[in-house]
Amino acid sequence: MSEAKTMPAADAGRRLPYGALFWLLATLLIFVVGQQTVTLHDQEKFIGDFDFSVEHVEGENRLILNLTAGTFAYGVTPEVILPTPTGSFSRGDVDAPQVADVLFDALESITDISIEAQTITVVYDNDMEAEQIRSRLRRPVNNSVVNDRNTITAEVSQSAEKTILFSTSEDHFLYAQYQPALVDSIEDYDSRAAAEAGSDLARFIVGEARAVQSLRLEPTRLVVGYAEGAALEPLARNLREILNDFHPRASLAPKLWLLTIAPEIVPPMLAIAVEPLETGLPLFLFTLLMVAVEGGIYFVAREGKKNLLIHLVHILSVFLLFWSIFGHEPLWDAILHAIFPTSAPLVHPQGPVIDFSAQHLELVFTSSIYIISAGLFLGVMVTRENFREFLPLVNNLVNGGQTVPTLAIVAIMAPIIGLGFLPALVALIAYGLLPVVRNTIAGIESVSVSIVDSARGMGMTSQQILLRTEMPIASRIIMAGIRTSMVINIGTATLGAFVGSGGLGIPIASGLSMTVDAFILLGAIPAALLAILTDYVLGRLEVVLTPRGLLIET
Amino acid sequence: MIEFKDVIKEYPNGFRAVDDLNLTVRDGEICVLIGPSGCGKTTALRMVNRLIDVTRGEILIDGQPNDEFEPEVLRRQIGYAIQQIGLLPHMTIRDNVAIVPRLLDWDEERIRQRVDLLLDMVGIDPSIHGDKYPRQLSGGQQQRVGVARALGADPPIMLMDEPFGAVDPITRAILQEEFLQIQQEVSKTIIFVTHDIDEAIYMGDRIALLRAGRLVQYDTPDDLLAMPRDDFVREFVGADRSLKRLHLISVKDSMMNNVPCCDHDASLEEVAACLQRRQSDSAFVVDASSGVLLGWVERADLAESRSLAEAMHHAPAGSIAVPEDATAREALSVLLSHSFDLTPVIDAEGVLTGGVSIQRLQDLVEAPGIHAAAQPERRR
Ligand SMILES: Nc1ncnc2c1ncn2[C@@H]1O[C@H](COP(=O)(O)OP(=O)(O)O)[C@@H](O)[C@H]1O
Ligand SMILES: [Mg+2]
């Protein structure tokens, strides 16, 4: 009989940790998919993975970086990749495949092109040196005719008079359409021109290597003019590092989880450029942490211990998840393009979402710190015996702060303290104070008279009563106030853009003025996500900070 | 020792809640403050640990005016238990009991031992309930913890404001009894507020009856019942004060030792002679060798019987007799439910030791104050 009674409890204890198993499965899935992607592509190189030798031009303050692998292609996003249609084409054919067009464009003297699965034969008709023609065609072929990926394995040979043969050892020629441009014209920049109107690569180099004065970009060669007296060795080393750091946009691969979670919105070619695991890491870590959380809850919660650590890990993991969303520009691009079918770039020109989010969070957290400290202080003060007479006054003040529209506060403030971060901060503080003050007062008032009386009767000082009795018991209500205040704050902070405080209001404001709906979403979606995240995190924190004894239902 | 000297409390609105109170609580005694609601009991109590300031007069603790202490220092030396208990809901039971020792900076090991000892003392198993929270306990358990907490730092003085007021009557009776047992061990000087006269009579060494802030009578429970000073007191203690007094007296102290009885092997003639001699219509029959009560015999039955065994009424001792340690009130109850004019009294072995008669009980109730020694031995 007694055994039968204890059975249900033991059963409950032996219930499997389904949550942990679920996340473990998710982790495995990601790992396996990630591994597969690795094995698929790990022998190949990205555009922008360079190998080069550095050559110094004596007496000229000049370094020449000669490419031995890869090209100085940049800003490349392959959009389509298809086997090149086979056939013979002559200049002016309307339906010549892309690769034929590219070759015709590259050299005036080409008259006919014949494309087979593994060879392209180019016929030329003037008296240029074959070697010359071959070298001038090599780059277009390499750049637009790609076998599987961007690596050049095509062999070039000259078979007959006025004919050049490109052949590939792979299955067949593929061609990709790139946008925007490659380093396809030879360009010269001085450092100022590079900083202002240079190509991405030129700007990148000038931005990172101070000694660089002039730049000449060629498809396979980079000529760098450096300042008088610059130390050569470090500069060369520096340039090498810079170039290896430079990842053209094409290699800004979507994170792995994008492929696993929403493959249909990933342009097919992007998938090829995925850096597995490394970029899927936030998601991978997220699921791994979730395993820890669920497992921890399973083992710890059962024994009724405090699970502060679990909550903190949980919060961290959710942060990771959200962060990988915010930080993921290709995702934003893909989502926005899915909603607004247009070829115009939809990622905001002023900066990536993550920057706006960071500014936004800065505004929210700074104001919240003031709100919380001032709110707690006011709430505690007016519930003290000596200051109780101020209670109605403070109530009216914070109520007032809430009723005046934030924009009005900003408008009043702007002429006094000008534009920027500060007026936005003041407005947010005025607006967010009410929930904190009100809940602090309500929380402290909720402590029953008899509890305070017995605390006093046992000999606690008023300070001890506040810290050991009133605050812990009020903590849950106070935390709820802070949570409300911060969530409101995140929404309100978008108005800060109107006084130049930055944040997610910027895309919204420019979206409104330029009538680009996508920009509005670019601000609104992260703001909403941030609000949800904050609400969730503070909700957790509320549970963590509430003393256990108060969580027991009576 | 706690002394109220000409203590007056006037609230800021001019209301005089305690008016010229003079009262001395002796060491180790429970002084019960009682009176109708609003008569100033709580006010008087809370002035002792300075939760309320005295308007005029002074309160001495062991001869020293209590306003010579810092209020917090004073309060940490005085146990405080209230009807609403006021356990801190965010602290475990152990932490609640440890509050005052912690305020006094005891070292943790000593606190732990003290807390477990106290919880054991009030009947809360520390290994089961020690790490629970107040909300996980029943009302009665919380009251026990409240008492343990008041005893936390072993204060010489305890102030208790209707500490058992919020529990059901059965639990209250148990708590009262247990608390008296604890008091037997710890012997604190206690001021105990209640509005329940039965609780006052049961718990108090002395009862101070207040009316509108004034002390009406300050006496032992028995004297209060026996000699109410005026109609107010008489009405307050109730029309059943005689019964209440009987409740304070044990059978042992009120019984007559000499009762008509005969051995079970006596002849009918001997029995008749005994009845004749005692001028009684009945006699108890006891076992000749052990003296255990077997039953009784009535004069009317003697004529038709050939032996005592045939004439006597057999009865298990428990059904007609009261034990020696019962109260006089229980004896009266048995008297009323049987038709005897004498209730037999037996000891633990069932041996007849005496009897209680209506006449005897009347005499007791009318006597002006029974000596303390005559009180039932409820404190043992
Ligand atoms: N702070 C106060 N101000 C004015 N009157 C009070 C105050 N506290 C109590 N009283 C009054 O003093 C009287 C005695 O109160 P109290 O000592 O609490 O009575 P009780 O005997 O029921 O414990 C009551 O009439 C009450 O209304
Ligand atoms: Mg009271």
Side-chain angles (χ1 to χ4, degrees), chain B residues 24-287:
Chain B
T24 302
V25 183
R26 285 194 229 142
D27 281 344
E29 272 192 4
I30 299 180
C31 165
V32 175
L33 292 185
I34 194 170
S37 173
C39 69
K41 308 180 289 287
T42 298
T43 306
L45 183 87
R46 286 160 63 88
M47 283 190 290
V48 176
N49 64 357
R50 295 185 59 194
L51 285 170
I52 295 178
D53 287 326
V54 173
T55 309
R56 240 169 294 148
E58 59 181 359
I59 297 174
L60 307 181
I61 290 172
D62 293 332
Q64 199 175 355
N66 70 349
D67 54 10
E68 285 179 8
F69 298 89
E70 279 293 309
E72 282 84 21
V73 174
L74 179 76
R75 288 172 200 151
R76 288 170 195 176
Q77 294 164 2
I78 298 178
Y80 185 60
I82 56 177
Q83 175 177 359
Q84 304 83 350
I85 315 174
L87 295 180
L88 305 192
H90 60 292
M91 289 187 186
T92 62
I93 300 306
R94 277 204 175 92
D95 287 341
N96 262 288
V97 178
I99 290 176
V100 183
R102 291 225 167 93
L103 290 175
L104 292 171
D105 275 336
W106 287 18
D107 71 69
E108 281 301 317
E109 179 54 28
R110 183 176 168 208
I111 292 176
R112 207 187 52 76
Q113 283 173 359
R114 174 79 187 155
V115 166
D116 285 6
L117 177 88
L118 283 174
L119 286 175
D120 267 332
M121 195 187 266
V122 298
I124 300 281
D125 187 338
S127 62
I128 297 174
H129 301 298
D131 294 323
K132 286 191 180 164
Y133 290 90
R135 286 181 189 171
Q136 291 168 303
L137 299 191
S138 71
Q141 287 172 319
Q142 292 188 25
Q143 292 283 14
R144 289 162 194 260
V145 176
V147 171
R149 186 174 70 171
L151 285 166
D154 207 7
I157 295 172
M158 303 255 287
L159 305 177
M160 306 178 85
D161 194 348
E162 310 199 20
F164 308 136
V167 293
D168 62 276
I170 294 169
T171 312
R172 187 183 315 154
I174 297 170
L175 287 174
Q176 288 168 349
E177 191 183 334
E178 288 180 358
F179 184 72
L180 285 178
Q181 276 164 14
I182 293 171
Q183 166 68 353
Q184 193 66 36
E185 274 177 53
V186 297
S187 189
K188 303 292 181 195
T189 307
I190 297 170
I191 299 182
F192 188 106
V193 167
T194 181
H195 61 258
D196 174 0
I197 184 70
D198 290 317
E199 185 170 58
I201 292 168
Y202 185 61
M203 301 286 291
D205 290 308
R206 275 159 206 283
I207 298 175
L209 181 54
L210 298 183
R211 178 195 194 181
R214 293 183 151 271
L215 182 63
V216 182
Q217 188 166 355
Y218 185 38
D219 258 322
T220 62
D222 192 51
D223 286 347
L224 190 76
L225 291 171
M227 299 178 296
R229 175 164 297 168
D230 58 18
D231 286 345
F232 170 73
V233 182
R234 194 169 297 121
E235 198 177 310
F236 192 84
V237 297
D240 62 344
R241 65 190 174 91
S242 302
L243 273 181
K244 283 176 179 146
R245 282 194 71 202
L246 287 181
H247 197 57
L248 296 177
I249 305 168
S250 79
V251 165
K252 198 173 183 179
D253 293 315
S254 54
M255 72 182 181
M256 302 170 299
N257 294 332
N258 198 2
V259 294
C261 78
C262 46
D263 295 343
H264 75 286
D265 53 1
S267 67
L268 290 177
E269 290 73 30
E270 282 172 317
V271 177
C274 171
L275 290 177
Q276 189 63 39
R277 190 168 65 249
R278 302 299 300 258
Q279 294 196 320
S280 171
D281 286 334
S282 60
F284 299 113
V285 180
V286 299
D287 185 271

